[in-house]
Amino acid sequence: MARFQAGPAMVAVAGIGILSVMDGLIKYAAGTHGIGQIALMRYGFGALVAFAVFRATRTALPSMEIVRPHAWRSVVVAATAFFFFYSLAVLPLAVALALSFTSPIFIALFAAALLGERPGRSILIALGLGFIGVLVVLWSEIEPAAHAGGDTNALGLAAAIASAITYALAMVTLKSRAARDPLPTIVLLQNAFAGTLLAPLGIVQWTLPTLGEVLVFFTIGALGTAGHLCMAWAYGRADASRLGVLEYTAFVWAVGIGLLAFGEIPSAGTLLGAALIVGGALVASRRASSVPEPEVEIGP
């Protein structure tokens, strides 16, 4: 029996928290700019910060053998950004985040199918508790609007679910490279390729930002790079299915950010859902059998 590694889990939770702050800023920026421009600026500034880290750590230039799988993975990353940024723009933040929390379920499924990981009983219980928590949150957010005769944004809901699926695939493919490639290389290639893929949409939707908005975009890019450095480090040292459960802690971060930054007081349903989500994360921290590291190449 191998003890669950606390280090990767703590770094993953920190990375999720950093990315949650980034999500709040993206929601803020979506009020005045199109999602294509936001995505372009997020990955453009993210690439600049990642390049600074790359040079500061004196990381060697990657070979084409390394570049190729990251180029493929960036297609999934760009799709995730597009879907999730759209859902943030058209849905309430709590609803968009709650739907994104289905990603650990897809992470466990993809990890089993592509990496040969076999989630233990504690992981399955954690996934179940977390998913029930998400359903409770969704009910507490959507049911009052439906009762009042409000419309449901089906396209936004579909985009949120799609982002959860593509994010899960991005995290599992990250697992396949995180133990092999330098972290600065992984994050630099992810930002550079995703920004390039999203550039045409960003150019079409471009509006001139103010200096304050440029600072917001830079902060979004810097937080994105910092968060993904944390995630890449963690996924290189622990099972994807086990770390995936910790994605549920983003809801706790969101509640804290909403309360401190916007004075939002969570409802009873929100608190109950958060309790189930945290309970799932705690169950996942129990001991589990060690799984051999697979030598798997994902992508062309």
Side-chain angles (χ1 to χ4, degrees):
M1 302 290 284
R3 185 178 299 277
F4 180 72
Q5 296 173 287
M10 292 177 64
V11 172
V13 169
I16 292 165
I18 293 170
L19 295 175
S20 297
V21 176
M22 182 194 72
D23 292 340
L25 290 176
I26 289 171
K27 176 71 173 177
Y28 169 79
T32 53
H33 296 280
I35 58 171
Q37 181 178 359
I38 295 172
L40 173 59
M41 298 290 276
R42 177 258 179 272
Y43 285 109
F45 280 122
L48 289 177
V49 175
F51 181 71
V53 173
F54 183 86
R55 291 300 301 272
T57 56
R58 300 181 182 276
T59 305
L61 291 175
S63 65
M64 284 305 299
E65 183 181 357
I66 293 176
V67 169
R68 192 162 36 249
H70 287 290
W72 177 85
R73 179 175 174 270
S74 293
V75 175
V76 184
V77 171
T80 301
F82 177 81
F83 290 135
F84 187 59
F85 291 3
Y86 177 79
S87 70
L88 285 176
V90 301
L91 294 176
L93 182 59
V95 174
L97 287 175
L99 288 175
S100 74
F101 295 156
T102 57
S103 62
I105 296 173
F106 296 114
I107 287 176
L109 294 175
F110 285 135
L114 300 177
L115 301 181
E117 293 183 7
R118 293 295 179 263
R121 184 172 61 179
S122 64
I123 293 294
L124 297 177
I125 293 174
L127 289 171
L129 285 174
F131 187 64
I132 292 172
V134 168
L135 293 180
V136 171
V137 173
L138 279 176
W139 180 259
S140 68
E141 294 291 338
I142 295 177
E143 195 276 337
H147 184 72
D151 293 330
T152 300
N153 191 315
L155 191 58
L157 295 175
I161 293 293
S163 73
I165 295 173
T166 55
Y167 176 79
L169 184 56
M171 288 297 99
V172 172
T173 55
L174 171 61
K175 171 65 177 177
S176 74
R177 300 303 311 181
R180 308 179 189 184
D181 304 334
L183 299 188
T185 299
I186 292 173
V187 178
L188 174 60
L189 292 177
Q190 172 177 303
N191 280 275
F193 281 128
T196 300
L197 291 170
L198 292 165
L201 180 60
I203 293 172
V204 169
Q205 295 184 338
W206 185 266
T207 58
L208 186 64
T210 65
L211 178 59
E213 289 170 338
V214 171
L215 292 176
V216 170
F217 286 135
F218 176 80
T219 303
I220 288 172
L223 290 175
T225 295
H228 284 114
L229 280 170
C230 291
M231 299 302 286
W233 186 91
Y235 271 76
R237 291 161 175 80
D239 287 349
S241 56
R242 187 166 293 277
L243 290 178
V245 177
L246 299 176
E247 295 289 342
Y248 289 130
T249 61
F251 183 75
V252 181
W253 286 104
V255 169
I257 292 168
L259 181 62
L260 295 176
F262 306 107
E264 298 174 350
I265 300 176
S267 66
T270 297
L271 293 176
L272 176 59
L276 290 168
I277 291 166
V278 173
L282 291 176
V283 169
S285 67
R286 297 173 58 188
R287 295 185 178 185
S289 299
S290 60
V291 178
E293 184 70 26
E295 288 296 329
V296 178
E297 185 67 56
I298 297 178

